[in-house]
Amino acid sequence: MPASSARPEKSGVSDFDTFIRMLTTQARYQNPLEPLDSSEYASQLAQFSMVEQQTKTNDTLVALVEKLGATDMARLSSWIGKEARAIAPAHFSGQPITISPAPLAAADKAFIVVRDSAGEIVDRFEVPISAEPVTWSGQDETGSLRPEGLYSFAIQSYEAEELLLEEASAVYHPVTEAQIEGNEVILILEGGQAILASMVTGVRANG
């Protein structure tokens, strides 16, 4: 077997085994007429106890690290294939996009405003005064699909003809990958955009 493929022996276990062999050999071959001093023997036994405890501690730490790693992987995999609701540009590839509007309760009219990656308004349509999700088909005035790319969404709240507020609307994004960087979970969305998991305000099954 190549040297590079051999698994290195745990140093704690190696030291522990070596110590046991040395202590056993010393006891076996000591001179009966000059036995090992009792205080020295007690010191060696105490050292043996410390080595044994350190070995157990190391094994516990290794098991804990492995368990935490498995937990992180399970946490990451739970995101894959889900739709995460967050305020971020959505990738349009011909499939409808679900928007989660939040118009002001005082409004009597509300509109969704759609902007392309250049910030130009490409669509605007009225929606109910409700937090219920609405769908953007991505079609233009002729019924043709708009170009593939990133689009952002905002909700405009009106009272009579007065604009009370315009703010970004959350969108449901398909999650294709999840990563851990430091203490943060990074979600890669369909289309390649990345967001922090802490930005997500809702999760649902994809489709």
Side-chain angles (χ1 to χ4, degrees):
M1 177 182 295
S4 61
S5 63
R7 294 183 61 185
E9 186 176 17
K10 295 180 182 178
S11 60
V13 174
S14 177
D15 292 344
F16 177 70
D17 290 343
T18 301
F19 185 85
I20 290 297
R21 287 196 297 269
M22 290 176 60
L23 190 62
T24 302
T25 301
Q26 183 177 5
R28 180 183 302 169
Y29 293 105
Q30 66 176 321
N31 188 343
L33 299 178
E34 297 180 6
L36 187 66
D37 182 76
S38 59
S39 60
E40 184 178 351
Y41 194 73
S43 175
Q44 292 187 4
L45 286 176
Q47 187 179 356
F48 162 77
S49 178
M50 291 175 61
V51 172
E52 181 184 30
Q53 186 61 42
Q54 184 62 48
T55 300
K56 290 180 179 179
T57 300
N58 289 344
D59 290 343
T60 300
L61 289 175
V62 169
L64 180 59
V65 169
E66 290 176 350
K67 182 177 181 181
L68 289 175
T71 300
D72 284 341
M73 289 302 102
R75 183 159 59 106
L76 289 181
S77 63
S78 68
W79 288 100
I80 309 303
K82 300 293 180 59
E83 288 189 336
R85 185 180 66 200
I87 296 177
H91 181 257
F92 177 69
S93 59
Q95 299 300 315
I97 291 176
T98 302
I99 309 159
S100 181
L104 295 178
D108 54 27
K109 284 191 300 185
F111 294 85
I112 291 290
V113 177
V114 185
R115 292 180 171 86
D116 61 17
S117 59
E120 298 293 328
I121 295 178
V122 297
D123 201 357
R124 183 174 182 269
F125 56 97
E126 188 170 1
V127 294
I129 307 298
S130 168
E132 289 297 314
V134 296
T135 300
W136 181 61
S137 67
Q139 295 179 344
D140 61 19
E141 296 79 5
T142 66
S144 300
L145 292 178
R146 297 186 182 278
E148 180 174 350
L150 294 178
Y151 293 84
S152 58
F153 301 83
I155 181 76
Q156 293 180 334
S157 298
Y158 280 83
E159 184 177 17
E161 299 303 318
E162 180 185 358
L163 175 62
L164 301 177
L165 179 68
E166 177 177 329
E167 58 182 351
S169 286
V171 178
Y172 282 94
H173 308 267
V175 178
T176 60
E177 185 180 344
Q179 306 171 355
I180 292 180
E181 292 187 12
N183 295 324
E184 295 284 359
V185 173
I186 310 296
L187 303 180
I188 308 301
L189 310 178
E190 188 176 75
Q193 63 272 44
I195 63 171
L196 295 175
S198 56
M199 296 171 58
V200 175
T201 58
V203 179
R204 70 180 190 180
N206 192 353

